[in-house]
């Protein structure tokens, strides 16, 4: 049996449910360990009683030894720090052979066992970002993406997990552009043995690399350069207003919208309706909050101003409206 883990809060709940559904559709026996990042998320997950899911409370992973992170980090940074902590917790408490960390806004279109077979007897796996030309952010976000990270229950893999944790503990809410928990992965292939780099371009297709490929279908399955997409990372996707979904700040082709995005959004909308019906009053969904000039000035940091300028550029060039889909069109 394969063991996966992920984490999310109530705002990402619908994304996490979609990830779970994609595993049910595409693989055999598995366990998905979910770290609930708030009490509301934990309560709903337990009531849903999802097949092949184990729910873990946040205070089980962030115990008294790690309470300082609440003062030191932003919520996003706390989530990133919990990634290695969750993997260690599962290896320690559930005695599994291995654990694979997944991002909640990823979705499988194919059987992940194909990637696991590529890992073989290695201790861990890394998936490159494979940035398209003009989108290279390796100096900031690293060569490899935290999205499908296999860790065997071995001393070697635990050493890498410890290195990941130590770097994540450097996160600081006053240094929002500093991503030590991503950058440290770049050195693992030279510092440690047993590291498998997954070269399959269908693993970790994402907005930042999609421009490098021709998007199409083979046997009705979404593909990049005729290679079946194993999983896609739906970075930036968010609900926008009542009847729209924002796709990405990256340019997304019409083929990619039809073949990759629309089926996923259809699943999100289905799960959103299910949540609202089963839990009346629940209205927590990842919403795109557009920055304004005044809000970016009040934030008094370059990151906020940069975000404002980014969206101002998208609007001025007409790309913002092109990257919004009306739910009526799904």
């Amino acid at each position: 049996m394969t063991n996966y883990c992920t984490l999310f809060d109530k705002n990402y709940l619908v994304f996490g449910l979609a990830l779970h559904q994609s595993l049910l559709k595409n693989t055999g026996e598995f366990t998905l360990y979910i770290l609930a990042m708030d009490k509301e998320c934990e309560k709903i997950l337990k009531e849903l009683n999802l097949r092949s899911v184990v729910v873990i409370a946040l205070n089980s992973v962030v115990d008294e030894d790690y309470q300082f992170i609440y003062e030191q980090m932003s919520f996003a940074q706390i989530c990133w720090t919990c990634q290695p902590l969750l993997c260690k917790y599962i290896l320690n408490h559930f005695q599994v052979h291995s654990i694979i960390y997944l991002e909640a806004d990823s979705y499988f279109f194919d059987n992940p066992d194909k990637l696991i077979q590529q890992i073989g007897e290695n201790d861990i796996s890394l998936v490159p970002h494979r940035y398209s030309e003009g989108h290279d952010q390796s100096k900031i976000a690293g060569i490899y993406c935290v999205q499908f990270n296999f860790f065997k229950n071995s001393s070697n893999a635990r050493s890498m997990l410890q290195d990941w944790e130590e770097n994540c503990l450097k996160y600081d809410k006053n240094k929002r552009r500093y991503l030590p928990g991503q950058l440290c992965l770049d050195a693992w292939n030279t510092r440690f043995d047993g590291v498998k780099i997954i070269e399959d371009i269908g693993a970790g297709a994402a907005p930042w690399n999609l421009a490098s490929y021709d998007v199409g279908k083979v046997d009705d399955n979404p593909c990049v350069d005729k290679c079946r997409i194993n999983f896609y990372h739906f970075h930036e996707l968010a609900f926008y207003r009542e009847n729209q979904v924002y796709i990405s700040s990256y340019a997304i082709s019409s083929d990619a919208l039809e073949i990759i995005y629309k089926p996923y959004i259809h699943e999100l909308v289905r799960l959103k309706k299910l949540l609202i019906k089963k839990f009346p009053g629940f209205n927590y969904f990842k919403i795109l909050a557009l920055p304004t000039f005044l809000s970016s000035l009040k934030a008094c940091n370059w990151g906020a101003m940069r975000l404002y300028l980014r969206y101002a550029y998208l609007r001025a060039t007409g790309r913002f409206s092109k990257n919004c889909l009306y739910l009526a069109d799904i």
Side-chain angles (χ1 to χ4, degrees):
M1 183 173 67
T2 307
N3 300 287
Y4 302 95
C5 68
T6 190
L7 56 86
F8 49 84
D9 68 348
K10 58 190 176 186
N11 296 300
Y12 270 78
L13 182 57
V14 70
F15 294 89
L17 294 179
L19 171 63
H20 172 250
Q21 285 295 308
S22 74
L23 286 169
L24 289 175
K25 291 175 184 176
N26 289 289
T27 190
E29 189 176 0
F30 70 92
T31 299
L32 176 63
Y33 297 89
I34 300 176
L35 176 60
M37 295 301 293
D38 57 48
K39 289 294 184 182
E40 183 80 6
C41 181
E42 180 186 346
K43 175 177 177 292
I44 289 176
L45 285 172
K46 288 181 176 178
E47 288 190 31
L48 287 172
N49 193 26
L50 300 169
R51 174 184 158 193
S52 303
V53 164
V54 174
V55 181
I56 299 174
L58 181 59
N59 59 8
S60 297
V61 174
V62 183
D63 58 24
E64 61 274 8
D65 293 332
Y66 294 94
Q67 291 295 306
F68 67 91
I69 69 175
Y70 292 115
E71 294 296 325
Q72 177 181 318
M73 303 176 189
S74 67
F75 179 71
Q77 291 170 335
I78 291 170
C79 290
W80 301 335
T81 300
C82 283
Q83 293 166 346
L85 298 184
L86 174 60
C87 291
K88 285 178 60 178
Y89 179 85
I90 294 167
L91 292 178
N92 289 337
H93 289 79
F94 295 93
Q95 302 302 310
V96 296
H97 169 268
S98 59
I99 190 67
I100 301 172
Y101 177 78
L102 305 173
E103 284 288 75
D105 54 355
S106 294
Y107 188 88
F108 286 93
F109 290 97
D110 198 4
N111 194 332
D113 289 349
K114 295 179 180 179
L115 303 181
I116 297 169
Q117 289 171 7
Q118 294 179 38
I119 297 168
E121 296 302 314
N122 288 292
D123 289 305
I124 80 144
S125 70
L126 294 173
V127 178
H129 278 102
R130 302 189 187 91
Y131 298 108
S132 297
E133 185 177 353
H135 296 318
D136 189 349
Q137 298 184 57
S138 53
K139 290 184 179 179
I140 298 171
I143 299 169
Y144 305 106
C145 185
V146 176
Q147 57 181 347
F148 185 94
N149 299 89
F150 171 95
F151 294 94
K152 186 184 288 186
N153 199 345
S154 66
S155 59
N156 189 40
R158 284 176 175 272
S159 295
M160 283 177 265
L161 272 174
Q162 186 62 32
D163 181 71
W164 191 14
E165 176 188 330
E166 290 171 1
N167 279 279
C168 283
L169 291 176
K170 298 176 185 177
Y171 278 118
D172 186 328
K173 58 188 172 185
N174 296 314
K175 299 177 181 177
R176 294 178 182 268
R177 295 279 288 168
Y178 178 44
L179 305 175
Q182 287 263 137
L183 293 170
C184 68
L185 275 60
D186 291 0
W188 285 1
N189 198 31
T190 55
R191 289 185 56 202
F192 300 98
D193 295 324
V195 178
K196 172 61 178 176
I197 309 301
I198 296 178
E199 302 295 349
D200 186 341
I201 62 171
W208 53 75
N209 60 40
L210 208 57
S212 301
Y213 311 120
D214 289 326
V215 178
K217 285 187 175 183
V218 174
D219 297 331
D220 208 35
N221 299 307
C223 297
V224 286
D225 287 354
K226 298 184 179 180
C227 176
R228 186 170 177 179
I229 294 176
N230 194 284
F231 71 91
Y232 190 88
H233 193 158
F234 287 90
H235 172 70
E236 293 186 326
L237 191 145
F239 291 96
Y240 176 58
R241 296 176 177 168
E242 188 174 347
N243 63 344
Q244 285 181 291
V245 173
Y246 178 71
I247 302 300
S248 175
S249 64
Y250 294 86
I252 304 296
S253 70
S254 57
D255 285 341
L257 286 176
E258 289 293 329
I259 295 170
I260 300 172
Y261 279 86
K262 283 191 177 182
Y264 180 67
I265 295 169
H266 180 83
E267 180 73 347
L268 291 183
V269 172
R270 183 186 72 83
L271 291 166
K272 181 179 180 181
K273 290 178 179 177
L274 183 150
L275 280 173
I276 292 172
K277 181 178 180 180
K278 192 170 182 65
F279 303 96
F282 181 83
N283 193 32
Y284 298 101
F285 303 100
K286 181 186 176 186
I287 303 295
L288 177 68
L290 292 179
T292 65
F293 180 71
L294 285 178
S295 66
S296 59
L297 278 181
K298 288 179 181 178
C300 296
N301 67 67
W302 168 242
M305 180 57 73
R306 181 178 176 276
L307 189 62
Y308 166 75
L309 293 173
R310 183 181 188 182
Y311 283 110
Y313 169 77
L314 291 174
R315 285 188 175 278
T317 57
R319 273 178 50 190
F320 182 82
S321 58
K322 289 180 180 178
N323 282 4
C324 278
L325 285 180
Y326 285 90
L327 295 181
D329 297 330
I330 305 302

